[in-house]
Amino acid sequence: MALRACGLIVFRRVPPANNIEFLLLQTSYGKHHWTPPKGHVDPGEDDMTTALRETEEEAGLHPGQFSVVDGFRQELNYNVKGKAKTVIYWLAELRDPGARVRLSNEHQDFRWLPLREACEYAGYQDMQKTLNDASQFLQGDLRQGASLQ
Ligand SMILES: Nc1nc2c(ncn2[C@@H]2O[C@H](COP(=O)(O)OP(=O)(O)OP(=O)(O)OP(=O)(O)OC[C@H]3O[C@@H](n4cnc5c(=O)[nH]c(N)nc54)[C@H](O)[C@@H]3O)[C@@H](O)[C@H]2O)c(=O)[nH]1
């Protein structure tokens, strides 16, 4: 069975133009790659609980500080050291764009990045596609919101 991990693509809207920035964390081990907060599903744990727990452990952001966006869920499948791994991501908007990120010792740095830079930092094509899809989803959300007003 594939290794399973879950996480949240956390974003914030930055005044004055409400531009979207995504949160990426850099590992303090291995190749020092950048990903959204995520981690392995513990035995008996459901996926969303894992995503919330890992976001709190790795970024210091608790569920009261963000809202999970309805209707967006992406599954990535890749190999790590020859073993299949599945990663599920949801999208979550930080309520206070100034909220402080607190890293654990698993990460050495973090950045809030607009889409293009986030894709550059993430590197992997599947993660780039996920970030692009998230951005498009949010733009669609905005358009829908505007048409309802
Ligand atoms: N010392 C040391 N310790 C490690 C190492 N490795 C782990 N630890 C320990 O594990 C704990 C973390 O546990 P959790 O937080 O629960 O789990 P995850 O968050 O799942 O953590 P991972 O880092 O294991 O998982 P990935 O991010 O998935 O990276 C695995 C590989 O996959 C590639 N990769 C990454 N993202 C993408 C993508 O989007 N797309 C594609 N295509 N590929 C991608 C990339 O090549 C990468 O090298 C740490 O505390 C350490 O103790 C290591 O190399 N050295």
Side-chain angles (χ1 to χ4, degrees):
M1 214 171 66
L3 196 63
R4 193 173 183 85
C6 298
L8 294 180
I9 299 172
V10 182
F11 69 96
R12 65 181 186 181
R13 296 183 200 265
V14 189
N18 279 342
N19 292 328
I20 287 171
E21 293 180 343
F22 296 100
L23 177 63
L24 293 182
L25 314 178
Q26 184 183 35
T27 60
S28 50
Y29 54 84
K31 288 184 275 180
H32 305 295
H33 61 287
W34 295 81
T35 73
K38 57 121 179 58
H40 300 131
V41 178
D42 284 344
E45 192 176 43
D46 69 73
D47 289 349
M48 180 56 85
T49 301
T50 303
L52 297 173
R53 175 179 57 73
E54 290 284 349
T55 300
E56 187 150 15
E57 287 176 7
E58 296 189 344
L61 299 170
H62 62 80
Q65 291 179 280
F66 52 78
S67 44
V68 177
V69 176
D70 269 351
F72 186 91
R73 177 188 180 277
Q74 288 241 332
E75 182 175 320
L76 277 69
N77 292 286
Y78 52 90
N79 285 326
V80 179
K81 295 176 186 150
K83 286 184 78 177
K85 178 170 184 177
T86 297
V87 187
I88 313 290
Y89 284 111
W90 286 271
L91 195 50
E93 178 168 5
L94 197 64
R95 294 182 204 279
D96 169 11
R100 184 153 162 224
V101 171
R102 288 167 208 269
L103 298 178
S104 72
N105 58 12
E106 284 180 30
H107 293 96
Q108 62 183 27
D109 203 359
F110 72 92
R111 295 269 195 286
W112 288 103
L113 298 163
L115 178 63
R116 190 141 54 95
E117 282 92 330
C119 287
E120 282 168 19
Y121 274 68
Y124 299 99
Q125 273 192 358
D126 47 4
M127 191 64 228
Q128 292 180 350
K129 180 179 182 307
T130 296
L131 290 166
N132 273 293
D133 287 353
S135 174
Q136 281 187 10
F137 183 88
L138 293 171
Q139 281 167 26
D141 245 21
L142 274 182
R143 274 199 299 276
Q144 207 175 30
S147 68
L148 289 173
Q149 281 165 15

